[in-house]
Amino acid sequence: MKKVFVSLTIICICLLCSACDGDVTRALRHSGYSVSEGKFECDAFFSKDSTEKIRFLAGSHAITQDGSIYELSYGQKFSNNQNCKLADTPLKVSSILDDSVFLATNGGIYTFGNGNQAAYSEINSSDNNYGTYSTLFYSTSGIKYMTMDSQNGIYYGLSTDGNVYGYTLYSENRDSYPVVAGMVTVFSKADYGDIIDFKYAGDSVATYVRTNDRIYHLTMTNEKDCTTYADIKCNYIMTDDETFEKYMDYIFAYSGSTIITTYQKIFTIGGNS
């Protein structure tokens, strides 16, 4: 009788947990996210003894709290039969720009790998964009930057003080490195609380700011009219997402367009669900 009671208790607990996961899945799908069929296998983050936490999702890379780099594959697994693997580099990340370039803790500037540049190769002054990289990384206190308007030298940066600033870079001529000519507060911790992550993706739900217990993102206020009529401009405001607020404990990692949940499912904005 005792064994039967224990078995029933275990079954009830499992059903309750599944119901919780199901509630989160339904809520996120209702919010416009599609969900992966399989689980995101990654012992580095989800094994029983794991203590690793993701600070930033940067495209196909995850940056942990101590700056370690993990490579991610949301579909096909790596040869370790996992959807993640520790990057083959001793480098650790201090700050990132556009999910493509990073300042390492050793003071060098490196690429995550794009175009003809090998992953984790150092970027030097021969690179046309080196002046911009060095000005942002060495002249400001940002830990994450996004390009807002490269033509006019405008970049957003999350500072260690919990604010997101807009930096305007200016060069006197093509041969001189730019300097920070202007700085304004774009997202203030006075409005949101201490910001720990953000992303700028234009007028899109993928533009967000994140605190320890909230995610705010752009929301269209006139969706019906602006999607129906060609002459109606879409209007957006930054709002606190009630779904994320309710299920924040289930959000393991977030990038605006991609979510990794604590129960190892991948959600992506849009697409078929």
Side-chain angles (χ1 to χ4, degrees):
M1 192 69 181
K2 185 176 180 181
K3 290 182 178 178
V4 172
F5 175 77
V6 171
S7 297
L8 288 173
T9 301
I10 292 172
I11 291 171
C12 289
I13 291 172
C14 291
L15 288 174
L16 286 172
C17 290
S18 297
C20 291
D21 295 351
D23 289 343
V24 180
T25 295
R26 283 188 290 274
L28 290 176
R29 291 179 67 180
H30 183 72
S31 295
Y33 287 84
S34 59
V35 59
S36 63
E37 293 184 4
K39 292 179 69 175
F40 181 78
E41 300 289 349
C42 182
D43 291 344
F45 301 132
F46 296 109
S47 69
K48 183 176 67 174
D49 301 321
S50 174
T51 59
E52 291 277 35
K53 299 295 182 184
I54 294 176
R55 186 177 193 182
F56 299 127
L57 281 180
S60 59
H61 295 83
I63 312 303
T64 66
Q65 296 289 356
D66 73 348
S68 297
I69 304 170
Y70 282 84
E71 297 175 359
L72 309 178
S73 175
Y74 296 115
Q76 189 176 18
K77 292 180 179 179
F78 294 110
S79 58
N80 62 1
N81 205 35
Q82 302 268 298
N83 294 107
C84 71
K85 67 176 183 178
L86 184 63
D88 185 20
T89 176
L91 297 171
K92 292 204 172 187
V93 174
S94 176
S95 180
I96 62 176
L97 168 63
D98 289 340
D99 298 346
S100 59
V101 175
F102 66 96
L103 174 68
T105 53
N106 67 6
I109 299 174
Y110 299 84
T111 175
F112 283 113
N114 50 55
N116 296 322
Q117 296 174 309
Y120 320 120
S121 59
E122 188 167 10
I123 299 172
N124 55 41
S125 57
S126 65
D127 188 290
N128 291 334
N129 296 311
Y130 181 80
T132 296
Y133 301 154
S134 61
T135 299
L136 289 172
F137 287 138
Y138 300 141
S139 299
T140 68
S141 59
I143 54 177
K144 180 179 180 179
Y145 298 92
M146 301 292 299
T147 301
M148 193 276 183
D149 181 353
S150 60
Q151 289 295 102
N152 291 301
I154 302 174
Y155 300 83
Y156 289 171
L158 170 61
S159 174
T160 52
D161 66 9
N163 293 305
V164 174
Y165 296 104
Y167 301 99
T168 301
L169 306 190
Y170 171 76
S171 299
E172 289 189 357
N173 55 65
R174 295 178 59 183
D175 297 323
S176 63
Y177 285 175
V179 296
V180 179
M183 175 178 165
V184 297
T185 302
V186 178
F187 302 118
S188 171
K189 65 180 180 182
D191 297 326
Y192 301 99
D194 284 328
I195 299 170
I196 62 171
D197 191 14
F198 88 105
K199 184 173 185 177
Y200 174 77
D203 289 336
S204 162
V205 69
T207 291
Y208 71 90
V209 295
R210 182 177 183 178
T211 67
N212 281 315
D213 58 0
R214 294 283 192 279
I215 293 176
Y216 302 82
H217 60 72
L218 282 183
T219 302
M220 193 184 299
T221 61
N222 61 338
E223 181 175 5
K224 183 178 179 180
D225 286 343
C226 87
T227 55
T228 302
Y229 305 107
D231 58 342
I232 300 295
K233 181 181 179 180
C234 297
N235 297 319
Y236 295 83
I237 60 171
M238 191 71 79
T239 60
D240 180 1
D241 193 300
E242 293 181 0
T243 298
F244 290 129
E245 182 178 349
K246 184 175 182 179
Y247 297 113
M248 197 67 168
D249 290 343
Y250 292 86
I251 308 299
F252 183 76
Y254 178 79
S255 73
S257 56
T258 301
I259 300 169
I260 303 176
T261 64
T262 55
Y263 54 98
Q264 295 175 252
K265 283 291 188 177
I266 302 296
F267 292 81
T268 54
I269 195 69
N272 297 322
S273 57

